[in-house]
Amino acid sequence: MTEFRVGPSARTTPEGLRWEPSRRWVRGRKGDVTVVDSRHPVLVWEPTGVPVPLYAFPRDEVRTDLLRPAANPPTGTHTGSRIFYDLVVDGGLTENAAWTFPAADLAGHIAFEWFLRWDSGLDHWYEEEEEIFVHPRDPYHRVDALRSSRHVRVGIGGTTVADTRRPVLVFETGLPTRYYIPREDVRLDLLEPTGHRTACPYKGTARYWDWNGGGEVPRNIVWSYPEPLPAVAAVEGLLAFYNEAVDLVVDGERLERPVTPFTESLTT
């Protein structure tokens, strides 16, 4: 079971869903068509799976004329969801783009896939006038990027690949501290850029590097945000290493390698 932080207006259904109303104006588009335009969205956290929120919307704030009962509804997803919908926009079909929850508290609401499933859902989401990526931002999730003078060394297979006294430390709820290091303090000759990209609703889009210094080291072990979101502007262009797979020494103290949701995805 996922352990959730609870806000003053949060409620929990018998099915284990946690939900609370949001004050944000949320819109979702497929191509040039606005499918959702809601000033009364509800944030929903499911008890299993990825511990990030999604939105459910009152039916009268959804273009239900674009929805059709799903031809091939999935099973075992979205906490006992009873009804799935395919989305038809300008002749294009998006299967299982939306669904309803069985919870009585959420009767009359429709939820949509975001970007965690890349082949389903809408193309663009907005909170107020700001485009949001990957998934809705969790109001109980905090990310702080702080400039520091700590002494940080990063080792891979016995080789020091980074050594700095001017890192930026990123403190993010539920994750280990990440140490972002200026390029001038990194052995770039031991890294090779890859085509891998990921997106984060709190930080932006990251690009990655492989280690090319030998040994069995996970792919895409280093990342950087060339154009981070304003809230973490201090990390622009800096490089970070997965604590889960490198040797980190901070102010002379060797840090243990943490086990995180990323551990299983780090493969050689």
Side-chain angles (χ1 to χ4, degrees):
M1 296 286 286
T2 301
E3 182 178 351
F4 295 119
R5 295 166 295 282
V6 177
S9 59
R11 304 178 190 178
T12 302
T13 74
E15 297 81 7
L17 295 163
R18 194 195 71 149
W19 68 274
E20 63 180 65
S22 172
R23 297 288 186 181
R24 302 186 182 196
W25 175 25
V26 179
R27 286 158 292 152
R29 294 206 324 251
K30 187 69 174 179
D32 294 327
V33 176
T34 297
V35 178
V36 176
D37 189 336
S38 177
R39 287 172 170 78
H40 306 91
V42 173
L43 281 165
V44 182
W45 290 261
E46 298 189 78
T48 58
V50 181
V52 298
L54 51 85
Y55 277 120
F57 308 98
R59 281 182 173 271
D60 59 5
E61 296 180 342
V62 174
R63 286 282 306 274
T64 55
D65 60 302
L66 302 175
L67 300 179
R68 308 283 186 273
N72 300 292
T75 58
T77 62
H78 297 304
T79 314
S81 302
R82 292 175 179 161
I83 301 174
F84 282 82
Y85 297 98
D86 293 339
L87 175 68
V88 181
V89 176
D90 293 334
L93 173 68
T94 304
E95 292 189 331
N96 301 309
W99 69 93
T100 61
F101 287 113
D105 288 2
L106 298 173
H109 288 71
I110 297 176
F112 281 79
E113 290 288 4
W114 279 52
F115 304 105
L116 291 174
R117 301 183 182 211
W118 295 101
D119 59 346
S120 60
L122 305 188
D123 298 329
H124 300 279
W125 287 99
Y126 300 87
E127 292 177 347
E128 302 300 330
E129 297 300 329
E130 183 174 335
E131 187 167 8
I132 305 300
F133 303 94
V134 186
H135 61 77
R137 291 173 181 169
D138 189 326
Y140 306 105
H141 188 106
R142 186 180 180 96
V143 181
D144 295 304
L146 305 180
R147 294 180 175 86
S148 177
S149 59
R150 289 176 180 260
H151 183 198
V152 177
R153 286 191 293 112
V154 181
I156 298 178
T159 299
T160 297
V161 65
D163 191 328
T164 190
R165 293 182 181 272
R166 47 180 185 152
V168 171
L169 275 56
V170 172
F171 301 91
E172 182 168 359
T173 303
L175 291 175
T177 305
R178 301 300 192 188
Y179 300 88
Y180 285 75
I181 300 172
R183 289 168 178 261
E184 296 82 2
D185 298 337
V186 177
R187 288 281 307 274
L188 297 176
D189 60 304
L190 297 176
L191 304 178
E192 183 174 343
T194 74
H196 187 55
R197 301 288 186 272
T198 61
C200 170
Y202 309 105
K203 298 186 289 293
T205 300
R207 56 175 299 194
Y208 287 77
W209 286 260
D210 282 344
W211 165 256
N212 66 5
E216 294 189 2
V217 177
R219 298 285 316 275
N220 301 303
I221 198 170
V222 185
W223 74 90
S224 178
Y225 290 95
E227 297 180 352
L229 296 177
V232 292
V235 306
E236 181 177 353
L238 307 187
L239 301 179
F241 295 76
Y242 275 110
N243 309 38
E244 297 88 337
V246 301
D247 298 319
L248 265 171
V249 179
V250 179
D251 291 336
E253 178 184 355
R254 171 80 173 267
L255 304 187
E256 292 186 8
R257 294 186 180 182
V259 177
T260 74
F262 297 101
T263 301
E264 287 189 12
S265 65
L266 292 171
T267 57
T268 55

